[in-house]
Amino acid sequence: MFKNVLVGVDAHEGGRDAVALGRRLLADGGELTLAYVYAGDARTWRGSNATYDAVEAERARELLEQASREAGVQGTPRWIGAPSVGHGLHVLAEDVGADLLVVGSTRRGLLGRVHLADDTRAALNGAPCPVAVAPAGYKDHPVAMREIGVGYDGSPESEHALSVARALAAELHCEISALEAVSVPTYLAHGRSAPDGTPITELVSESRDRIAALGGVTPHAVYGDPAEELALYSASLDVLVIGSRSYGPIGRLLHGSTAHRLARSARCPLLILTKAAGRAEAGLSTEPGSEQPTAPALS
């Protein structure tokens, strides 16, 4: 699992859900950092108010100590003043060399679902490492990991997601499944066939066979909108792993449309990964002669 986990904590339930998920994904002997971001600017030349910073630092220390006690974890407390929660979490993630950032959703959504608050959405945009999002109420109903799901479409990003899922499943001794949502825009489809005349049922069957050929993965394939179908699929999972196809100019995670929509509707914890081309950044590799990926960044 992940060796260096940074968890965004606030005074709300979403932060407590994030701590519970971060604890679940932390490798034995790994480093857990509990982070709090307050409104401010970490650059002292901007004229930081020393009294204000001291008050916020004390509040952050107390809040993080309380969160640590309630969760029964030993987390290193870190806090920072920043113009936004997302920016502050990204700075801290880089400072501690985090290989995973965990954030909570909001209680405004249905229990058991991810529903993005503004701070959570900001944490996703431009994140320097993979991001896990805990659904509302996760701390009250933590579950043993039985099945990890992967959003799969044959792309390098989905192959990367599958590699990470395999590594997690090996550690957690759970099953892996994958789902591909075959999507043909209505204006291109001709009744029940694709533009080239291939029946949609045949496309779905081919997708299922392609996943089955991966080995060690329970295959699922459906016809429909990827974000909607993955959200439905997530109801039967304990973690859903997806790749992201959209990246900033320096390769940071910027969720694409499917990932963005899914982050608002997933019914289990969601793990969104950085681009597959950056496997070295995530510590993923495949040893020569081995069919199973190894994951040095995952214990």
Side-chain angles (χ1 to χ4, degrees), residues 217-299:
V217 179
T218 301
H220 301 282
V222 295
Y223 174 71
D225 177 80
E228 293 178 1
E229 296 302 331
L230 285 169
L232 292 173
Y233 168 57
S234 71
S236 64
L237 303 172
D238 300 303
V239 174
L240 174 59
V241 186
I242 62 171
S244 176
R245 289 188 171 182
S246 299
Y247 312 98
I250 57 175
R252 291 174 172 234
L253 170 64
L254 176 63
H255 45 77
S257 59
T258 297
H260 188 187
R261 291 172 58 197
L262 186 58
R264 297 197 303 267
S265 58
R267 302 177 189 181
C268 71
L270 180 66
L271 177 57
I272 305 174
L273 304 175
T274 49
K275 63 180 181 179
R279 287 189 182 187
E281 296 176 6
L284 293 171
S285 63
T286 301
E287 294 181 347
S290 172
E291 297 181 354
Q292 298 297 326
T294 59
L298 303 177
S299 173

Side-chain angles (χ1 to χ4, degrees), residues 27-79:
D28 290 340
E31 180 71 21
L32 182 69
T33 302
L34 304 184
Y36 176 77
V37 180
Y38 62 89
D41 198 319
R43 294 171 293 186
T44 56
W45 57 268
R46 280 289 188 91
S48 175
N49 184 306
T51 301
Y52 170 76
D53 286 345
V55 170
E56 287 298 316
E58 179 61 21
R59 179 171 181 266
R61 184 186 63 78
E62 293 176 353
L63 186 148
L64 294 174
E65 287 180 353
Q66 180 180 353
S68 183
R69 287 194 304 271
E70 290 179 354
V73 298
Q74 292 295 323
T76 302
R78 292 287 299 267
W79 53 85

